[in-house]
Amino acid sequence: MTRRRSGVGPVLATWTTLALCCALPSAASAEALPEALAKAYQTNPQLNAERARQRATDENVPQALAGYRPQIVASLSAGLQSVRNLLPDNTIQTANLKPWVIGVTVTQTLFNGFRTANNVRAAELQVQSGREALRNVGQGVLLDAVTAYTNVLANQSLVEAQRSNVAFLRETLSVTQRRLNAGDVTPTDSAQAEARLNRGLSDLNAAEVALAISQATYAQVIGNSPSQLRPAEVVDRYLPRSREDALTMAIRQHPAVMAAGFDVDVASTNIRVAEGALLPSATIQGSASKSRNNDPTLGTFAEDQASIVGNVTVPIYDGGQAAAQTRQAKEITAQSRLVLDQVRNQARTAAVSAWVANEGAKIAVSASESEVKAATVALQGVQREAAGGQRTTVDVLNSQADLIQAKARLIGALRDRVIASYTLLSAVGHLDVKTLSLNTPDYLPEVHYQQVRDAWHGLRTPSGQ
């Protein structure tokens, strides 16, 4: 006995039968799922907003590195001063003065309790966490795109099935009325056929409404209205081979878990940043200035100064602020570790749920295909028996209703099968451009990071903004 395979072939064959039963305008106008995913990856506003957030996070590193660099301040003061002096001999001296001072000060931090080094480390870890968060958002957008694509495909198939059902019911009503006129059936048969036709029209309207909604969602997620869609493929070839493999991959490789792990490292580093406020700090400051003053009562009219001053400060008591900040950082670290445990549990649950749903979807497709075949044979038999007077009109209508319901379940099972495979791929952290080999450049956040990490100046972003 040959075992039935539930791989890509049967799913595509059934999609082809159900989803492409309407006429194709041209092969070139059809859009495949990988093409839709590539468009969503390039244009989705949610994903692009997350990329912008990550670029902003990259700027935390040069901000932290600024602590290693000198701070240079230039100053200029000038004004108009009116002076009225009373001299010892009771004479009065007046003058209008124009004093001015120009100077420059350079301050270099030599030691600040390792806060600069720890701030740089925390900023780099925030970048790593942000990249994983970006990857997680990318997975969500791609999964939303798969869902939107398959919903449109399924609803198109359902609309076509309901239209076929309405056509069948119209023909049945027409035949029943002819037989009623001939005296072969009763008015009850005609009323039953008419009622089923109205139900079919209502079901067709509901299917058309669902299709319109799914098309709007498609445009929102992918960026353009759907045209003619091709059958959607499952991604079983990229999935783990067992539930245990899925659990291991989810716990170790899911971006949400990895981001939470980096958040723990950030929180731990912030403890050392807070403790740095309790350590001494040392700076060196160099300054130069030139001043002019034409007050005749002063001994000098000009002054030039230059100095280099070292400064060491040792905190003794700050009212408990640094201690409170240290305790706070420790509690945040404990919270981050608990969040990491929670995210791991969520990833584990999601992986198990996705695995079970994917396996169940395979069975549902196989059972629905068998149901449609059996319901088709049953309808044909009932029609022949009704023509011979062995079945009533309501038997034909019931058999047709069973077939339409079976087709609807098959359409839903095919949709769920595709979504379940992509959901499992997302649950193990591999729903990305590289794994799917999409025809679009992969967004590399490290490119922007390297562009701005060692930037000492400049207001424009690497993109020219």
Side-chain angles (χ1 to χ4, degrees), residues 155-436:
N155 287 330
Q156 286 176 343
S157 301
L158 189 58
V159 167
E160 291 303 319
Q162 293 295 345
R163 286 174 180 169
S164 299
N165 180 51
V166 169
F168 178 90
L169 294 175
R170 288 186 190 278
E171 179 63 23
T172 302
L173 177 59
S174 177
V175 172
T176 304
Q177 288 177 340
R178 289 197 300 268
R179 296 182 64 189
L180 176 63
N181 295 333
D184 295 336
V185 296
T186 66
T188 301
D189 295 279
S190 178
Q192 290 171 334
E194 185 177 359
R196 292 298 178 91
L197 174 59
N198 288 321
R199 180 193 298 179
L201 291 171
S202 176
D203 292 340
L204 174 58
N205 178 70
E208 290 174 340
V209 169
L211 175 59
I213 294 173
S214 63
Q215 288 173 335
T217 304
Y218 182 101
Q220 174 188 348
V221 175
I222 297 177
N224 61 272
S225 299
S227 55
Q228 183 59 50
L229 305 184
R230 295 178 183 175
E233 297 185 25
V234 296
V235 286
D236 289 351
R237 60 189 179 277
Y238 304 128
L239 299 180
R241 298 182 178 274
S242 65
R243 180 188 296 189
E244 290 71 22
D245 291 342
L247 285 173
T248 301
M249 294 170 66
I251 294 174
R252 295 180 179 178
Q253 302 176 15
H254 195 279
V257 176
M258 299 182 69
F262 284 119
D263 289 341
V264 173
D265 295 335
V266 171
S268 300
T269 306
N270 285 335
I271 295 177
R272 296 192 290 272
V273 173
E275 291 174 341
L278 301 172
L279 300 177
S281 61
T283 61
I284 185 170
Q285 186 179 82
S287 63
S289 65
K290 179 186 292 290
S291 65
R292 293 293 182 269
N293 193 323
N294 58 349
D295 189 345
T297 64
L298 299 178
T300 60
F301 289 91
E303 182 178 11
D304 297 332
Q305 290 185 350
S307 65
I308 297 179
V309 179
N311 183 32
V312 177
T313 59
V314 180
I316 297 177
Y317 183 69
D318 64 351
Q321 180 181 7
Q325 291 174 342
T326 302
R327 295 193 303 270
Q328 182 184 51
K330 290 179 179 180
E331 294 295 347
I332 293 176
T333 301
Q335 177 197 14
S336 300
R337 291 195 176 99
L338 293 173
V339 170
L340 175 58
D341 292 337
Q342 179 184 2
V343 173
R344 283 174 176 165
N345 290 334
Q346 292 173 345
R348 185 183 295 108
T349 301
V352 172
S353 300
W355 176 271
V356 173
N358 189 54
E359 294 299 310
K362 297 177 183 178
I363 298 174
V365 169
S366 178
S368 297
E369 288 174 344
S370 300
E371 182 185 9
V372 169
K373 291 179 181 179
T376 301
V377 173
L379 176 60
Q380 294 171 351
V382 171
Q383 286 177 313
R384 289 193 298 268
E385 294 172 359
Q390 298 177 339
R391 293 279 187 168
T392 64
T393 301
V394 72
D395 293 329
V396 176
L397 296 173
N398 288 338
S399 185
Q400 170 66 10
D402 291 340
L403 176 58
I404 289 299
Q405 292 173 3
K407 286 183 177 180
R409 281 190 287 269
L410 176 57
I411 292 171
L414 290 170
R415 176 198 59 202
D416 295 343
R417 173 76 173 91
V418 175
I419 294 176
S421 66
Y422 278 90
T423 301
L424 178 56
L425 190 62
S426 174
V428 299
H430 285 182
L431 182 55
D432 50 45
V433 169
K434 184 177 180 180
T435 300
L436 299 177

Side-chain angles (χ1 to χ4, degrees), residues 50-97:
E50 189 67 14
R51 290 167 179 164
R53 181 207 58 78
Q54 178 59 26
R55 291 193 295 271
T57 302
D58 291 342
E59 297 291 351
N60 289 335
V61 176
Q63 290 178 32
L65 287 171
Y68 287 124
R69 299 165 185 162
Q71 307 295 315
I72 304 175
V73 178
S75 61
L76 172 64
S77 64
L80 180 63
Q81 184 178 11
S82 179
V83 178
R84 183 175 181 275
N85 295 325
L86 178 63
L87 301 180
D89 58 358
N90 291 326
T91 60
I92 297 175
Q93 184 183 53
T94 61
N96 292 322
L97 310 180

Side-chain angles (χ1 to χ4, degrees), residues 90-167:
N90 291 326
T91 60
I92 297 175
Q93 184 183 53
T94 61
N96 292 322
L97 310 180
K98 298 178 181 179
W100 58 268
V101 179
I102 186 172
V104 61
T105 302
V106 180
T107 304
Q108 176 64 58
T109 299
L110 302 178
F111 181 75
N112 62 353
F114 306 105
R115 279 177 288 179
T116 297
N118 289 322
N119 281 328
V120 171
R121 175 60 177 165
E124 290 173 340
L125 290 169
Q126 288 173 348
V127 169
Q128 295 293 328
S129 175
R131 289 179 184 176
E132 296 302 323
L134 173 60
R135 192 159 67 92
N136 195 35
V137 172
Q139 285 203 143
V141 168
L142 290 178
L143 187 57
D144 289 343
V146 171
T147 303
Y149 186 98
T150 52
N151 279 342
V152 172
L153 194 64
N155 287 330
Q156 286 176 343
S157 301
L158 189 58
V159 167
E160 291 303 319
Q162 293 295 345
R163 286 174 180 169
S164 299
N165 180 51
V166 169

